[in-house]
Amino acid sequence: REDAAAAEAAAAEAGAGAKVHLLSGMNSDSGNWAVPAHFSGLEKLPVHCSPASGAEKEAGAPSRLFEALAECRVTKTEAEVELLRYVNWVSSMAHVEVLRSARPGMMEYQLESLFMHHTYTHGGCRHMAYSCICACGPSGAVLHYGHAGRPNDRLLKAGDMALLDMGAEYHCYASDITCSFPVGKAGSKFTRDQRLVYQAVLDAQVAVIGALKPGVSWVAMHQLAERTILRGLLRGGLLTAPAPAQGGEAAAAEAAAAAAA
């Protein structure tokens, strides 16, 4: 009843000609369809979710709102590009400061605090783009660590790998940066196993950046990253795969990728 009454009031306040646009369209990465919002009383509003009927709907055409938002995400003005460069530069410098300061005996939340302090003090970024993830040691195995249930509250130990996923926000434009490094005294180095995994991921990043171009799907880039990582882990002996009849290492990586999927 409250939803219906609120819908009627909103429709009356909007006046003639006003429309409520609903989001409906297919995610080109996952293939999943964004289902339009629905609540009691929605039928009383002047809803616009075209195409609502006809051949376009049958073909799965997106709503105008979906198309407009998708275009806004991929097309940026020069001013927007400059904002994105700035907030990513500030966040990058904050990550460097955290890397320099991290030592055994500190708490994960102290790394978070250092990052937030640097981006605000030196960059004027009052907000974070998302909750900071400061996962050290086994904390890195917790998906989206740093939330209220696991609030970056572990003690750093020598030899831990620090996986830091943090990014500042500036005027509603967000950065999103993840880096990893070994925790220890100044000049600490990766162990063999740490270097193996780190290098495999770095190789995947370089491969994806090199392959990016108009017309390439994100799914293809995801698969390229997986194949590159698997090749690195196979070479290092962390993973094993049945020897293929032909094709060598690349085919083995493909087989392992298929098994993992």
Side-chain angles (χ1 to χ4, degrees), residues 4 6-22 39 41-50:
E8 288 188 42
E13 184 179 348
K19 294 183 182 296
V20 176
H21 288 264
L22 298 184
F39 57 87
L42 181 63
E43 66 279 358
K44 300 181 181 296
L45 292 173
V47 172
H48 184 75
C49 189
S50 67

Side-chain angles (χ1 to χ4, degrees), residues 97-221:
E97 182 61 28
V98 172
L99 186 153
R100 288 171 174 161
S101 303
R103 293 289 185 274
M106 294 178 67
M107 299 295 292
E108 291 170 330
Y109 59 72
Q110 289 180 282
L111 306 186
E112 175 183 10
S113 176
L114 283 169
F115 183 87
M116 297 174 72
H117 170 74
H118 187 96
T119 54
Y120 199 1
T121 299
H122 301 289
C125 300
R126 185 176 186 184
H127 302 292
M128 296 294 101
Y130 48 91
S131 296
C132 293
I133 299 173
C134 298
C136 299
S139 300
V142 179
L143 184 63
H144 296 301
Y145 184 78
H147 53 72
R150 299 297 300 273
N152 297 322
D153 57 356
R154 181 180 177 274
L155 183 74
L156 276 64
K157 298 181 180 179
D160 281 349
M161 275 295 292
L163 188 157
L164 308 185
D165 183 351
M166 301 183 287
E169 176 190 303
Y170 190 68
H171 289 283
C172 297
Y173 285 81
S175 61
D176 186 342
I177 301 173
T178 303
C179 63
S180 299
F181 57 85
V183 175
K185 297 179 180 179
S188 292
K189 296 183 178 180
F190 293 93
T191 65
R192 180 191 176 280
D193 289 344
Q194 290 171 344
R195 181 179 292 277
L196 168 64
V197 176
Y198 185 94
Q199 190 63 51
V201 176
L202 178 59
D203 290 344
Q205 181 185 30
V206 172
V208 168
I209 292 174
L212 281 175
K213 61 181 179 180
V216 175
S217 76
W218 288 107
V219 174
M221 294 297 92

Side-chain angles (χ1 to χ4, degrees), residues 34-125:
V35 180
H38 182 76
F39 57 87
S40 175
L42 181 63
E43 66 279 358
K44 300 181 181 296
L45 292 173
V47 172
H48 184 75
C49 189
S50 67
S53 60
E56 285 187 323
K57 182 179 180 182
E58 294 298 323
S63 67
R64 292 178 184 174
L65 177 61
F66 187 94
E67 291 180 320
L69 289 179
E71 187 67 17
C72 286
R73 290 182 65 193
V74 299
T75 304
K76 298 287 185 273
T77 65
E78 289 186 11
E80 288 177 302
V81 171
E82 192 60 32
L83 269 173
L84 286 168
R85 283 189 180 130
Y86 176 76
V87 71
N88 278 281
W89 175 77
V90 170
S91 297
S92 295
M93 294 302 99
H95 270 285
V96 171
E97 182 61 28
V98 172
L99 186 153
R100 288 171 174 161
S101 303
R103 293 289 185 274
M106 294 178 67
M107 299 295 292
E108 291 170 330
Y109 59 72
Q110 289 180 282
L111 306 186
E112 175 183 10
S113 176
L114 283 169
F115 183 87
M116 297 174 72
H117 170 74
H118 187 96
T119 54
Y120 199 1
T121 299
H122 301 289
C125 300

